[in-house]
Amino acid sequence: MPATVRYDEQYCPIARALDVLGDRWTLLILRELVRGDQRFTDLRTHLPGIAPTLLTQRLRTMNEHGLLESRELPPPAARSVYTVTARGREAVPVLRALARYGLPLLEAPSEQTRISPTMVADAALRAHFDAVAAIGIDERYEVQIDDQTFHLSSVTGGGEDRVRPDLVLVASAATWMDVRQGRIRVRHAIRNKRMIKSGPTSALTHFANIFHLV
């Protein structure tokens, strides 16, 4: 395996960040860990194509850089998991910027394309959160994507735990991607029954503005 490229001769914060985050698979491993603790086998499942030896190497290097740590869960789980550190979470804006940059590069999915609901929630919704558009709005949104449910909020940093959401939107992952990539508007999807809405139109308007959906 060729030696990992480093940028030691460049006095540049981008170069230093790439020294830590630029190895292949590193950001994708972080993508998984910011969603929750993961076992080695979980990461193998969520990262198809990575060799076990390479995953082990990346996890070791990321631990050395302080991006993650491993810990043992108490009984009855009694298993080792990897968890992201506060330093690792500092890369979340990088992940979201890459999601916004990469979405236009994705081709329209075919009927055979497997679309992860979690990817849709993170890349097509959370990555587009606009804190300025959310000023003065205190609402909770429940988004159902295929068979999974996600809770979003107009409040920066969370507040998704309100018992009753102000707005519920139900649609397939493919429909959400069509909305995000501009093939259909939210209101047209609702009108065509590709998306089901429960809640006032005002909350829908706020949701669309906050997450930059048309």
Side-chain angles (χ1 to χ4, degrees):
M1 181 180 297
T4 302
V5 175
R6 290 289 178 253
Y7 306 99
D8 296 334
E9 296 182 5
Q10 298 187 47
Y11 186 74
C12 169
I14 296 174
R16 290 296 183 270
L18 287 174
D19 281 343
V20 176
L21 300 174
D23 287 339
R24 190 182 184 200
W25 295 104
T26 295
L27 283 171
L28 295 181
I29 294 170
L30 271 180
R31 177 197 69 189
E32 296 305 317
L33 292 180
V34 297
R35 295 170 177 170
D37 293 350
Q38 304 277 326
R39 297 171 299 174
F40 188 89
T41 53
D42 296 328
L43 291 169
R44 287 286 316 279
T45 298
H46 298 149
L47 298 167
I50 189 169
T53 53
L54 182 56
L55 177 56
T56 298
Q57 177 185 337
R58 289 291 183 267
L59 290 170
R60 183 183 304 117
T61 300
M62 292 169 69
N63 179 266
E64 292 170 355
H65 285 306
L67 301 176
L68 60 82
E69 58 189 16
S70 62
R71 61 188 181 91
E72 296 295 326
L73 296 181
R79 64 185 185 185
S80 178
V81 296
Y82 295 93
T83 184
V84 69
T85 62
R87 178 60 171 163
R89 287 194 179 278
E90 291 178 6
V92 168
V94 177
L95 295 172
R96 291 183 173 175
L98 285 170
R100 293 192 298 271
Y101 185 86
L103 269 168
L105 305 178
L106 286 178
E107 66 279 3
S110 69
E111 292 184 2
Q112 289 74 40
T113 303
R114 182 188 177 277
I115 307 175
S116 164
T118 303
M119 182 280 292
V120 175
D122 288 343
L125 293 174
R126 291 190 179 109
H128 297 264
F129 177 81
D130 185 340
V132 174
I135 291 175
I137 300 172
D138 183 6
E139 293 178 342
R140 308 299 181 270
Y141 311 112
E142 180 178 297
V143 177
Q144 297 180 26
I145 307 173
D146 290 338
D147 59 349
Q148 295 186 39
T149 299
F150 302 88
H151 295 95
L152 288 76
S153 173
S154 64
V155 180
T156 303
E160 296 95 340
D161 56 352
R162 178 178 293 172
V163 174
R164 184 174 181 177
D166 300 278
L167 176 71
V168 178
L169 293 172
V170 181
S172 67
T175 293
W176 281 108
M177 289 302 294
D178 283 343
V179 169
R180 169 51 65 199
Q181 295 183 306
R183 288 182 287 275
I184 188 172
R185 293 177 177 271
V186 170
R187 285 175 171 77
H188 291 167
I190 294 171
R191 189 178 306 130
N192 296 341
K193 301 189 184 305
R194 291 185 59 186
M195 181 179 292
I196 300 172
K197 175 182 80 74
S198 299
T201 300
S202 59
L204 177 64
T205 299
H206 294 157
F207 177 85
N209 289 338
I210 291 169
F211 294 96
H212 286 206
L213 294 166
V214 295

